Amino acid sequence: MTAFSKDKKNFNSILIGKLIIASVLISVLSSFLAISLKHSTEYFENAFFLKAESNIIYLLILPTFGLAVIYFLRQYLFKKKANKGITEVFEATESKSKNLPLYKIPSHFINGLLTVAFGGSTGIEVSTVVATAAIGNTAQQKEKIFRKYKTELICTGITAGITILFSSPVAGILFSLEVIARKTNRVFFLTNVIALTVASALLLILNEGPLFNVIITTWHLYAIPYFILLGILAGLNSVYLTKTVLFFKSFFGKKLDGQKILFGGIILSVCLILFPQLYGDGYHALKEIFSHTNSILTPILTLIGILILKPIITSATLAAGGDGGVFAPSLFIGAFLGLFVATISNNFFQADVIPINFMVIGMAAVLSASIHAPFTALFLVCGMINNYTLFFPILLVCFVSKYISKMIFPFTVYTYSSANLK
């Protein structure tokens, strides 16, 4: 072996060692950030929602107040820069010169928490993605030899964060691969396997259970045509969500900051008064329905109203300055869409399908169509309920919904912006 070969081998060993150490540190920090944001948001959202349920005045005040607080924080604490969500991550991974500033970590943590806690109809998933991506981005700036592995280290933080939020290691790494990196290499697998391992260990240590307590025992072949129908409707609904978000952002972009807060607050308050289920990430409403699927009949008009208004209230939240994205809204819409399809099928066509199955499949279907990531949606939803009984129908419906949505509108909320920047 020549001296040059020995030097190269030593250099590679040092590089791998440093990458392993950096990945562990990124994973630990990202995991703790995600678990902290997850539980603090859940606590304050539940506390405020309980108040709002007993007194309508809170529904009139909280959304506008939350948007105003976020605005002033951005003006005076976070350099007067708006958060652009996952688009910021795409910009950082696609450009050598662009980076995610360190202030993005507290900015998205605080603003994501405030948005959902005060009734903004979105979720903390995108806030977590950007904040954890900023951790990975910061780490790669600390060592010159890490510069070429910027995307891999950004994805390391994201993998840990998504794993924590949804208790699904596979979904964490698939999201980083399908949505962010869109390519793979040995360094990606090294760093991201470390991330999911660290995050999974923390979930185990903290005894974190699945997000939803759902019991699913079987599914029937005769339900496949109804599953496919659900996939088609999920694709259509995802396009409605995407185009509504883009329209509101364009419309609100022409307004003054005060007008954005006022109009956004009014839209949120009206929608929440009509359907309190739309408050925050909506997981409280999903948990309620999942726990009483067989005993509570949700009126069809209520389901239609929720399906129509959820994209509107989500769009108003984001356009008025709230932090978040379409992750939680897609899951919420999908669950109610699945319940709607099952209810119609059983009441009018005597289909005898299982409503809870359709809710779970609907969640994955709308998410798959909204972010164009069927495998992420599949493992994420299965991880959320810690049950893989519906693996094959979910896989089928996720591909149907993604195909329908891409055929109608080839962009997502996240890729539309970056596509039009080029």
Side-chain angles (χ1 to χ4, degrees):
M1 183 180 290
T2 65
F4 175 78
S5 298
K6 288 182 179 178
D7 289 342
K8 185 177 180 180
K9 185 176 181 180
N10 290 335
F11 174 79
N12 288 336
S13 299
I14 293 171
L15 174 61
I16 291 172
K18 287 188 174 184
L19 280 171
I20 291 173
I21 293 171
S23 299
V24 171
L25 292 175
I26 293 168
S27 304
V28 170
L29 291 174
S30 297
S31 296
F32 273 93
L33 181 147
I35 203 79
S36 301
L37 181 55
K38 178 181 178 179
H39 286 297
S40 56
T41 302
E42 183 179 20
Y43 173 81
F44 286 108
E45 180 188 11
N46 289 338
F48 291 152
F49 182 65
L50 284 175
K51 290 288 185 181
E53 275 190 312
S54 59
N55 192 335
I56 196 174
I57 296 299
Y58 286 100
L59 292 179
L60 295 173
I61 296 175
L62 288 178
T64 303
F65 179 77
L67 292 172
V69 171
I70 291 170
Y71 168 76
F72 284 111
L73 285 175
R74 284 191 178 135
Q75 285 292 109
Y76 300 107
L77 187 61
F78 299 126
K79 303 183 180 183
K80 298 184 178 181
K81 292 185 178 179
N83 291 332
K84 296 186 288 184
I86 291 181
T87 301
E88 298 172 285
V89 181
F90 288 145
E91 292 174 357
T93 57
E94 293 169 1
S95 170
K96 292 182 179 179
S97 59
K98 290 186 178 181
N99 289 290
L100 292 164
L102 195 60
Y103 77 85
K104 289 293 179 183
I105 300 171
S107 169
H108 280 277
F109 185 101
I110 296 171
N111 291 340
L113 167 61
L114 293 176
T115 298
V116 176
F118 284 103
S121 197
T122 179
I124 59 168
E125 293 80 13
V126 170
S127 304
T128 304
V129 166
V130 181
T132 53
I135 293 174
N137 193 118
T138 301
Q140 69 87 27
Q141 292 178 289
K142 299 301 181 183
E143 282 278 355
K144 190 174 182 180
I145 59 174
F146 288 166
R147 299 294 165 85
K148 64 184 293 187
Y149 303 114
K150 179 181 180 181
T151 297
E152 288 82 354
L153 292 176
I154 285 176
C155 288
T156 300
I158 294 172
T159 295
I162 294 295
T163 296
I164 290 291
L165 286 187
F166 297 104
S167 301
S168 177
V170 180
I173 195 169
L174 282 175
F175 177 81
S176 292
L177 179 59
E178 281 191 297
V179 180
I180 306 299
R182 286 168 283 183
K183 60 182 179 180
T184 185
N185 54 44
R186 286 181 294 179
V187 173
F188 176 90
F189 279 111
L190 171 67
T191 57
N192 283 265
V193 167
I194 289 173
L196 68 85
T197 302
V198 170
S200 299
L202 182 60
L203 289 172
L204 185 63
I205 292 170
L206 297 179
N207 197 28
E208 287 283 307
L211 188 59
F212 298 117
N213 185 21
V214 179
I215 299 175
I216 295 174
T217 57
T218 188
W219 61 277
H220 303 291
L221 288 173
Y222 64 76
I224 288 179
Y226 300 99
F227 290 155
I228 294 174
L229 173 63
L230 174 58
I232 294 171
L233 294 177
L236 296 172
N237 270 265
S238 74
V239 173
Y240 170 47
L241 172 62
T242 298
K243 290 203 169 187
T244 304
V245 170
L246 296 175
F247 170 79
F248 269 74
K249 284 188 173 182
S250 175
F251 179 75
F252 272 57
K254 303 171 185 176
K255 305 295 180 184
L256 299 174
D257 291 328
Q259 292 176 319
K260 292 180 185 178
I261 295 170
L262 181 61
F263 291 160
I266 290 173
I267 292 172
L268 263 66
S269 293
V270 170
C271 290
L272 292 176
I273 289 171
L274 291 173
F275 299 104
Q277 299 97 323
L278 299 174
Y279 191 100
D281 55 27
Y283 290 163
H284 55 89
L286 296 186
K287 289 177 181 178
E288 177 71 16
I289 292 181
F290 275 133
S291 62
H292 297 94
T293 306
N294 296 322
S295 59
I296 292 182
L297 294 176
T298 305
I300 291 177
L301 288 179
T302 298
L303 295 175
I304 293 174
I306 289 173
L307 291 173
I308 291 173
L309 290 182
K310 179 62 176 182
I312 292 173
I313 191 174
T314 295
S315 302
T317 300
L318 298 175
D323 204 68
V326 299
F327 245 91
S330 295
L331 295 170
F332 181 90
I333 291 170
F336 277 91
L337 177 65
L339 183 57
F340 173 76
V341 171
T343 301
I344 293 293
S345 300
N346 287 338
N347 289 345
F348 296 96
F349 300 99
Q350 289 73 49
D352 194 30
V353 296
I354 305 171
I356 198 166
N357 287 3
F358 276 70
M359 291 181 66
V360 171
I361 294 172
M363 292 168 70
V366 176
L367 180 61
S368 170
S370 295
I371 65 175
H372 293 175
F375 290 108
T376 297
L378 166 64
F379 284 98
L380 187 146
V381 169
C382 288
M384 290 173 74
I385 64 173
N386 193 29
N387 190 306
Y388 287 80
T389 302
L390 297 174
F391 185 95
F392 290 108
I394 290 177
L395 182 63
L396 169 65
V397 177
C398 280
F399 275 103
V400 170
S401 65
K402 177 191 173 183
Y403 175 78
I404 293 295
S405 67
K406 288 195 75 172
M407 184 175 63
I408 299 172
F409 190 67
F411 304 109
T412 68
V413 168
Y414 310 127
T415 61
Y416 182 82
S417 298
S418 60
N420 285 274
L421 288 173
K422 297 178 180 178

